[in-house]
Structure formats: structure tokens, C-alpha cells
Amino acid sequence: MSATPKAKELTEVSEAQIAVHWKEEEYYQPSEQFKAQANMRDPRIFEKFGLDRFPDCFKTYADMLTWFEPYHTVLDTSDAPFWKWFVGGKINASYNCVDRHLEKHGGKAAFIFVPEPEAEQDVTLTYRDLYERVNEVAALLRGLGLKAGDRVTLHMPMVPELPITMLACARLGVIHSQVFGGFSGQACGSRIEDSGSRMLVTMDAYWRNGTLIDHKVNADIAVRAAKELGQDVDKVLVWQRHPGKYSAKTPMVAGRDVFVNDLLKDYKGKKVDPVALPGDAPLFLMYSSGTTGKPKGAQHGIAGYLAYVTATSKWVLDIHPDDVYWCMADIGWITGHSYIVYGPLAIAATGVLYEGVPTYPDAGRPWRIAERLGVNIFHTAPTAIRMLRKLGPQEPRKYKYRFKSMTTVGEPIEPEAWRWYYDEVGKREAVITDTWWMTETGGFLGTTMPAIHPMKPGSCGPAAPGIHPVIYDETGAEVSKGSGTAGNMCIRNPWPGIMQTIWGDRERYVKTYFAKYNKNPKSKDWRDWPFLCGDGAVQAADGYYRILGRIDDVINVAGHRLGTKEIESACLTVPEVAEAAVVPVQDEVKGRVPEVYVALKPGVPPSQAVIDRVIKANEEVIGKIARPKHVYIVPDMPKTRSGKIMRRVLAAISNRRDVGDVTTLANPDVVEQIRVMVQGKDVTKTQDALPEDIAKFGQVE
Ligand code: WTA
């Protein structure tokens, strides 16, 4: 890492290496000016967080929080691998994100809300405003009978009422489960059921792409779906996007639906003491997709999670009290929970909260907002970068904002997109941190420390302090750095941000994240429990990791995790469909998009109507983000002799690659028929190797 290697092509490529054949990129150095001001400048930090200092090194993180009662144990491993961090102490997340800043930062903006319609005024919420509103909502929730440990489902858009509701829950110890606003009512309903929520908090409408969308309609579908699954919802709290006015067409249901603004009148000026909760009590659930059709509720605990996102907001995002920070992610995903709400608020940041799509009404919008509000730290995902680059490559030049640092998160970023981000958006001045992590990990795992490490386009860098990754092959042998070989990315040690369990499914937690490399299920020693992240990765000789994508059946669409099994079961809700197979396809903007293959029941003729129904089913069961790029009706699925669908073959066809040897299939002829249907008679195939996630796709069948 000290010497800059020349750009070099790997020349010798074995079969196992083909998928990771790539060019070494040049390093980019952070500016002296950036280095001089950074919160974390000490390279010895990595020694201080060495494995020999584990787990006590993480006391530094816990010390960044305010405790009601001190903890006595840093890490309790007695119920391995259900790690308990900072045990014995009492703490409250809402207190740490709001109350403790009142004295010094009460008048400072916590959030600047930017509505999507450009003519609508920004709304600034100071820490004092936030304190008052969080208290009133907490009083309201308590008035409705909620108490610590209860679950409440939120299905909210990007408005200040979302973090306000989350923090109100946290104040009481109520576990919030925010479902991404773009998910369908049905998807929300199944998450309500899994979490056992009796209350849903939503909003009547929100602006998206120039339209005020009726969102309340989803609440009705969600409550019905939950009931069908056996979970009753007694109360639906409805925020109004334009207070005092109902912006949805769907009627309110008497006795069940209530406007939050009406209820709040009884709680004006009310204060609720933040409940002193055990450090290892749950803070929230975040549902995410995995190998099966059922989303898993990642459960995050208060103290460990909060300590981790606080420290990484300070050291990696490098937020200072006078910065204006803007993360364009949606709070409905983990990035928004950790790096719009909990982390930045815990360090008294000023954050921009933007309601709408980045390209509305044009690709200059983000840069106008940045200029107007003086944003100097910017955080977004490769999909947004690719889209803004495509629609307005020179737009950033028209605006006078100045970023000192920028983040990319959620998907691998191609070096070309990285360079545009650096040259045009960052104006060759801002550092970029490529932060690799996931819902389950609470906060950043792979990243550079922006003032310590040089950047390398396309690689996330080494790892955050105290995170000790290892790449294992299928046999459990370590894949050495610089070998040019890919393997399964794991973390050797627990860290405070790691999820506590899958809500209601301990067994699935152990099986999904630990079973593969754990040799002794009875062990109480953390060393026996490497965490399987779910990504393939390769480590260059300099120690930098390049993430290749998911190894489970998850498709990362524009940074959103979608389970193929979830999409397939949505397709199977269409009565005419007998079998469905979903594969990822490379997409210039969104990274990956799903493509669907269906075989129809005997006697049903193929038709556009069936295709439309399949598309609609995906939008209804999951949401618009699951809309397939194509739906192909095939005469039969390519299958093994034992009857398993060969998704790998379909993925090769969809991505215009060689299907390989298919002679051992039960029905090899169908492969050529499908190929012609998808690619046309004589389409020339690309010779490029398939990206690792697609190449490996469907291998575990
Ligand atoms: C992918 C999002 C490459 C990865 C925070 C991971 C990335 C999944 C990066 C988690 C990155 C996230 N480079 N790939 N910087 N960040 N990913 O749970 O495949 O929505 O497993 O969390 O996104 O997605 P999730």
C-alpha cells in the first residue's frame, strides 16, 4: 500500500480466476487540505484496533455515547454467535441523538428537509425542534399503550416525520420496523405479520417524479395482507404530507385509521423521559432479502449498533459539527437508518433530507440543492451516479458547491463511473470513500479511512478499524491476498454494529451467517464463528478488497436487495404460470435487473396478457423496483435429470454469454429454442467473462 503499483493486467488466468480478471487501478491521494482537517488522522488506529486488542478496543466507540448507567462487559459471548455488546449498561438512542445536543446545539439544524417540488419551501428542524416533536410523538405512542419491546411497523416516505417517528419509538424502547416506502402494501403486510406489529404508521401521500402519490392505499392492502397471514392491526396512524389536508383518495377506516396531526393536539408540549434501556435491548428491525422467499428481519440492538454508526460517521464519513451532510439514500434502507438518522444525529450533524428522485425535474437538481444549502459531504449509490452521469454529465460544472468528501455505497462501482464521480461531481478535490457493508452489519465494513489511505477506483479499500476480514474458499481454506482468486468474504471477529439475530428465527441466523465455516457449534469462543457476509470478493496484493457481488440468490437492483425466490413466488401467484425462474441481467444504469422466465400450465397459450399479469404481480407483491426487464414465456425450463431448473443456463442466455455444456440436461434442445427467443437467431455473443455474481448464480441448486 505504501508504493504505488503500476497499472498491470493479470496475465495468467486459471479457470477459477477468469471471473476476477481485472486491471489494477491507479491510486488517488486525498488532498493535504482534507487530511489536515480529518477527524481520524492517526495511522496507528489500526494497531489500536488489532485483533490482539479485541474486543476492548471498541470501548472507544461506546465512550462516544452518553450512558445512564455504565456497562460492565464489552462483549458477552456466552450465547455464541448471538453476540451481546456493552452488557449491563443502560442507555437510550433517542437521548443520544437528540437530548444530549440541546445545550450546545439546540439552535442548530438537525435536518433540512427539501421537498421534491422545487417551489415548495425547505423545512429546517433544529435540534430543539426535533426534541419537541419527538417528545410529542413519543407521548402520543405511549398514550396509545405502546411500551418497550412492542413492535411498530412504519411504511413512510422520505419526510422528517419518518426520523421523528423512529426516534419517538426509540425513546420508549418500542422496536420500529420501517418498510421502504416503495415496497408494495402486500410486502409491507408480510413484514407486519413477521414482526407481530399491531400498529402501522404511514403517510397519506408523497411527491415522487412530479406526482403526489396516494400512499394510504398501501396501508389498506398491508393491513388486509397481514390479517390474511394471521396478524391483526388495530391502529393505522396516518401522517399528512400537507398538514391539515388529506392528500389521498382512499377513505380513512373509522375506528382504525387516525390522523397523527389530530391526535397530536392532545400532546402539545408534552415531554417523555427517555426510557433507560439495557444496552443489548433491540432498537429496530430491518427486513432484507436472502436465499429463501421469506425476507428476514435483521434485529439491531441499541448500544452496539449506535456506538458503531456513531464512530463510523465521525471517522469514515468525517462529519464535523459545522459540515452540511447529505446522504441521498432512502431511510427505508439500512443506509438511511445508520447514516441519515442514527449516526449523524448522534454526532450532532446537520443533514439534508430530500424527498424525491435525484433527476427530478432534471439532472442538475442535486447540484442545485448542494449549492443552495452549502452541502460539503455527499453520500450516494452507484446507480444514482450512473444515472446522473448519463443524463447530465456536465451538470455539476454549472453549480458552485464544493464537496470535501463523498461516499459511494450499495453496489460495486465501475472505475469509469468512479472517475466521473471524482472528476466532475467532486471536482478533483473531494475524497471518495467506497463503503462496503450490508443490512446485517449495521455499518461500514470495507472502506478506506479517507485521510489515511489512498483511494482506488472500484475497490472498497481495506477494512474499517477493528474489522478483520478473511476470504475463504469453499473448503474453508484462506485465499491469500494478491492471488487473483475470488472467494467468500467473511469477518473473523464480531463488531458492535453486527445484527443480534433474525427476528423470531435464531436457527436461520446461525445457518445463514455462520454454519458454513463454523467447526464447533458449541463453541463460546468468537474465533470459531467467522461471519459469512454473502459476497464474493478478491483481495489485491495491497490488501484492498474488490467486492464482486452476492453469492446467494439475491439480485442487487439499483442498490436494492431482491430475493430471486421472492420474485419467483410473486410470478407463481399468476394462475396461468406453472414454473418461474428469475435471473440477474447486467444493466448500464441499475447494475443488475431481474429477468423472468415462465412456463405456463398445460393448455394455456402464451399471450401478452399473461406477461402483463406477471409484471403486475411483481409490482403488487413486492413493489415497482421488482419490475422485470423482460418476461419470457418458454415452452419448458432447462432442467437437470432430477428436475431442477438450471438458472445458470438462463442467466447465460439473458446476459448473452456461452451457455456451456448442456448435453447432460434432461431437455437440452429447449436451450437453443430459448436462446433464439431471447437473442434472435444469430446474435453474436460477447466474449467477456460473466461477472462473478452472475456466473455463480444458481450454483447452489
Ligand atoms: C452490496 C447496503 C460493492 C453487497 C449497505 C452487499 C456493495 C449488499 C457495496 C448489501 C460496495 C454494498 N461495493 N458492493 N461499496 N455496498 N454492496 O443489505 O453485495 O441493502 O452484500 O446494504 O450490497 O445490501 P444492503
Side-chain angles (χ1 to χ4, degrees):
M1 222 175 49
S2 43
T4 304
K6 294 247 157 47
K8 77 169 198 282
E9 290 270 340
L10 295 174
T11 41
E12 281 181 20
V13 219
S14 75
E15 205 169 281
Q17 295 165 349
I18 283 177
V20 294
H21 175 87
W22 59 291
K23 189 170 130 277
E24 270 291 334
E25 295 288 335
E26 304 273 1
Y27 292 114
Y28 287 64
Q29 300 293 338
S31 70
E32 291 307 319
Q33 203 185 352
F34 178 83
K35 288 202 276 195
Q37 60 82 60
N39 282 328
M40 177 42 70
R41 282 172 269 182
D42 181 3
R44 283 168 311 176
I45 190 70
F46 290 94
E47 278 157 50
K48 291 183 187 154
F49 280 77
L51 270 183
D52 52 332
R53 314 266 174 97
F54 180 86
D56 283 358
C57 51
F58 283 114
K59 283 179 172 176
T60 313
Y61 286 15
D63 285 349
M64 294 186 190
L65 304 178
T66 307
W67 292 78
F68 295 142
E69 282 174 39
Y71 58 87
H72 53 64
T73 305
V74 177
L75 173 64
D76 175 354
T77 65
S78 61
D79 189 20
F82 301 88
W83 315 119
K84 292 195 184 72
W85 281 91
F86 310 126
V87 182
K90 291 278 170 64
I91 194 162
N92 186 285
S94 177
Y95 179 88
N96 273 279
C97 292
V98 188
D99 306 39
R100 69 165 172 162
H101 303 317
L102 288 180
E103 200 179 317
K104 245 172 109 184
H105 303 291
K108 180 191 160 166
F111 286 119
I112 305 170
F113 172 58
V114 180
E116 192 190 71
E118 236 168 339
E120 204 177 311
Q121 290 278 313
D122 297 341
V123 179
T124 299
L125 274 180
T126 64
Y127 274 93
R128 166 130 337 254
D129 298 333
L130 188 62
Y131 172 75
E132 278 160 13
R133 296 195 60 186
V134 167
N135 269 285
E136 289 174 1
V137 177
L140 182 159
L141 296 176
R142 196 176 56 180
L144 290 171
L146 288 175
K147 52 180 192 329
D150 292 343
R151 278 83 54 209
V152 167
T153 298
L154 281 48
H155 193 203
M156 306 256 308
M158 278 290 283
V159 290
E161 287 77 5
L162 172 52
I164 289 171
T165 310
M166 288 163 63
L167 292 163
C169 290
R171 202 164 185 84
L172 303 172
V174 170
I175 304 168
H176 59 75
S177 167
Q178 153 72 5
V179 176
F180 169 56
F183 271 138
S184 68
Q186 274 192 51
C188 178
S190 61
R191 288 158 177 79
I192 290 178
E193 188 272 332
D194 190 83
S195 63
S197 303
R198 302 191 67 93
M199 186 187 288
L200 172 65
V201 186
T202 187
M203 181 166 259
D204 57 355
Y206 61 95
W207 290 96
R208 195 151 183 89
N209 244 330
T211 312
L212 186 60
I213 298 178
D214 183 344
H215 186 54
K216 163 64 169 57
V217 63
N218 295 317
D220 297 336
I221 298 169
V223 172
R224 202 178 326 128
K227 190 170 176 65
E228 274 164 21
L229 294 166
Q231 177 66 37
D232 284 326
V233 173
D234 327 309
K235 274 271 167 289
V236 178
L237 302 190
V238 183
W239 286 97
Q240 289 164 324
R241 171 61 181 80
H242 297 284
K245 187 173 143 215
Y246 188 42
S247 301
K249 293 205 179 65
T250 332
M252 297 286 278
V253 176
R256 187 197 74 184
D257 301 354
V258 215
F259 288 121
V260 181
N261 293 323
D262 287 347
L263 285 180
L264 275 176
K265 289 178 190 142
D266 296 338
Y267 297 96
K268 255 208 131 14
K270 285 269 178 333
K271 298 285 177 290
V272 174
D273 282 340
V275 180
L277 297 154
D280 61 329
L283 177 61
F284 67 85
L285 308 180
M286 170 66 64
Y287 282 85
S288 188
S289 296
T291 304
T292 73
K294 190 173 149 62
K296 45 197 179 190
Q299 175 187 317
H300 282 285
I302 304 173
Y305 170 83
L306 193 62
Y308 197 72
V309 298
T310 302
T312 45
S313 293
K314 187 161 179 181
W315 290 355
V316 180
L317 295 176
D318 194 47
I319 305 175
H320 300 246
D322 48 357
D323 289 328
V324 180
Y325 162 74
W326 181 13
C327 172
M328 238 174 25
D330 194 291
I331 295 179
W333 303 110
I334 192 70
T335 301
H337 274 49
S338 301
Y339 298 117
I340 296 179
V341 182
Y342 287 110
L345 290 180
I347 54 171
T350 291
V352 175
L353 199 74
Y354 173 56
E355 176 178 31
V357 290
T359 51
Y360 182 83
D362 57 68
R365 186 71 190 277
W367 323 129
R368 276 202 291 289
I369 294 173
E371 181 184 87
R372 184 163 56 79
L373 300 178
V375 173
N376 65 344
I377 306 179
F378 185 67
H379 188 150
T380 193
T383 290
I385 297 168
R386 290 188 289 254
M387 195 143 61
L388 290 163
R389 176 186 183 209
K390 194 172 166 192
L391 299 179
Q394 307 218 324
E395 282 298 305
R397 295 186 184 182
K398 299 184 188 159
Y399 301 93
K400 286 200 288 292
Y401 68 84
R402 256 183 104 163
F403 293 157
K404 66 169 177 175
S405 62
M406 308 192 296
T407 313
T408 159
V409 60
E411 312 154 63
I413 183 164
E414 308 72 18
E416 301 76 54
W418 192 99
R419 276 189 278 270
W420 180 79
Y421 197 33
Y422 185 80
D423 291 340
E424 296 293 330
V425 180
K427 306 182 179 181
R428 310 192 125 253
E429 208 173 46
V431 296
I432 296 182
T433 46
D434 181 344
T435 57
W436 163 78
W437 57 297
M438 55 212 56
T439 302
E440 293 87 336
T441 72
F444 306 143
L445 296 179
T447 177
T448 47
M449 284 302 247
I452 299 175
H453 301 120
M455 305 156 244
K456 189 162 81 171
S459 298
C460 63
I467 303 294
H468 299 276
V470 55
I471 299 177
Y472 286 126
D473 70 10
E474 287 301 311
T475 69
E478 286 187 24
V479 176
S480 54
K481 68 178 175 186
S483 66
T485 307
N488 296 326
M489 188 77 163
C490 296
I491 310 295
R492 294 181 194 273
N493 58 302
W495 63 99
I498 190 173
M499 68 195 285
Q500 298 182 305
T501 184
I502 293 176
W503 177 259
D505 202 342
R506 283 171 59 98
E507 214 177 298
R508 188 173 176 194
Y509 174 71
V510 178
K511 195 168 150 239
T512 309
Y513 305 107
F514 300 97
K516 193 172 174 89
Y517 295 118
N518 167 262
K519 295 190 192 80
N520 174 11
K522 293 216 169 68
S523 173
K524 304 292 174 211
D525 185 341
W526 58 263
R527 292 170 192 80
D528 290 326
W529 296 95
F531 176 81
L532 177 72
C533 298
D535 278 316
V538 61
Q539 189 182 26
D542 60 13
Y544 278 38
Y545 295 96
R546 184 170 157 104
I547 303 298
L548 303 166
R550 303 287 309 179
I551 52 169
D552 52 6
D553 288 339
V554 163
I555 305 182
N556 193 336
V557 184
H560 309 319
R561 264 166 80 170
L562 297 178
T564 35
K565 293 288 182 295
E566 288 169 69
I567 303 180
E568 288 170 4
S569 39
C571 297
L572 291 170
T573 63
V574 176
E576 290 90 343
V577 172
E579 285 177 312
V582 174
V583 298
V585 184
Q586 284 177 286
D587 182 272
E588 196 196 335
V589 172
K590 295 179 176 170
R592 302 281 179 272
V593 287
E595 226 165 62
V596 166
Y597 289 83
V598 290
L600 304 183
K601 287 183 182 153
V604 179
S607 68
Q608 184 60 39
V610 174
I611 292 177
D612 293 344
R613 245 167 271 160
V614 169
I615 294 173
K616 189 154 169 268
N618 275 291
E619 294 188 355
E620 279 176 9
V621 177
I622 304 169
K624 284 219 164 60
I625 46 167
R627 198 186 158 93
K629 184 166 189 175
H630 288 112
V631 177
Y632 298 108
I633 301 182
V634 296
D636 193 10
M637 296 286 180
K639 283 184 185 149
T640 61
R641 298 222 167 114
S642 61
K644 284 188 184 143
I645 300 176
M646 292 296 287
R647 289 176 181 75
R648 189 164 56 72
V649 171
L650 296 173
I653 293 176
S654 274
N655 288 283
R656 290 172 170 62
R657 299 307 204 283
D658 192 354
V659 293
D661 182 7
V662 292
T663 50
T664 56
L665 293 188
N667 50 356
D669 297 346
V670 83
V671 176
E672 182 57 14
Q673 281 181 47
I674 299 176
R675 194 198 66 74
V676 172
M677 171 189 289
V678 174
Q679 303 177 347
K681 248 201 158 51
D682 25 50
V683 157
T684 37
K685 285 189 208 84
T686 145
Q687 290 307 312
D688 297 348
L690 263 180
E692 180 89 345
D693 60 322
I694 300 182
K696 284 240 175 98
F697 191 78
Q699 262 186 13
V700 259
E701 295 183 283

